[in-house]
Amino acid sequence: MKDITKYIGLDISKESIAVAIADSGRETPRFYGMILNTPEAIRKRVDHVGKNAQLEICYEAGPTGYKVYRQLSSMGISCIVMAPSLIPVRQANHRHDFTIPTQ
């Protein structure tokens, strides 16, 4: 069994995927780079990151569907697809709409 757990967050778009990693514990997550949104690129990145580690991957549901989820699941990797409305947002990150008075 693998003793190290790495938590991976994906930001998936049609053409590319941004990858962030946080090791188990309270270390700060770090940007791990961009990859193409292709099965081969995903497999290579997961194989590279997952050496000697258990992976826990998550990403936000969106228009790209569940292709990445199905691929990771078929590889035996834990993957969670989250609803955008359920992702917590820090108060400072809320967008404020201001009305500009007209004269």
Side-chain angles (χ1 to χ4, degrees), residues 28-39:
T28 304
R30 61 195 183 279
F31 179 67
Y32 199 71
M34 299 288 291
I35 60 171
L36 292 175
N37 189 352
T38 65

Side-chain angles (χ1 to χ4, degrees), residues 73-87:
S73 294
S74 73
M75 295 170 67
I77 296 170
S78 173
C79 181
I80 298 172
V81 180
M82 301 170 294
S85 61
L86 299 178
I87 297 174

Side-chain angles (χ1 to χ4, degrees), residues 47-99:
D47 287 347
H48 183 261
V49 172
K51 290 182 181 176
N52 303 317
Q54 176 181 336
L55 301 179
E56 298 286 337
I57 300 178
C58 67
Y59 68 92
E60 181 180 50
T64 57
Y66 293 90
K67 175 181 72 170
V68 173
Y69 170 81
R70 285 191 282 274
Q71 178 183 356
L72 294 171
S73 294
S74 73
M75 295 170 67
I77 296 170
S78 173
C79 181
I80 298 172
V81 180
M82 301 170 294
S85 61
L86 299 178
I87 297 174
V89 178
R90 289 184 182 174
Q91 190 65 28
N93 292 342
H94 284 272
R95 194 180 114 211
H96 297 283
D97 293 321
F98 296 101
T99 304

Side-chain angles (χ1 to χ4, degrees), residues 1-60:
M1 174 131 193
K2 300 175 180 181
D3 295 334
I4 301 168
T5 301
K6 292 186 179 184
Y7 300 93
I8 301 174
L10 305 176
D11 186 4
I12 300 176
S13 68
K14 184 178 178 180
E15 302 291 326
S16 61
I17 301 173
V19 181
I21 299 177
D23 295 315
S24 57
R26 296 267 182 191
E27 291 186 34
T28 304
R30 61 195 183 279
F31 179 67
Y32 199 71
M34 299 288 291
I35 60 171
L36 292 175
N37 189 352
T38 65
E40 298 81 25
I42 294 168
R43 183 189 50 74
K44 284 180 183 178
R45 183 58 51 108
V46 167
D47 287 347
H48 183 261
V49 172
K51 290 182 181 176
N52 303 317
Q54 176 181 336
L55 301 179
E56 298 286 337
I57 300 178
C58 67
Y59 68 92
E60 181 180 50

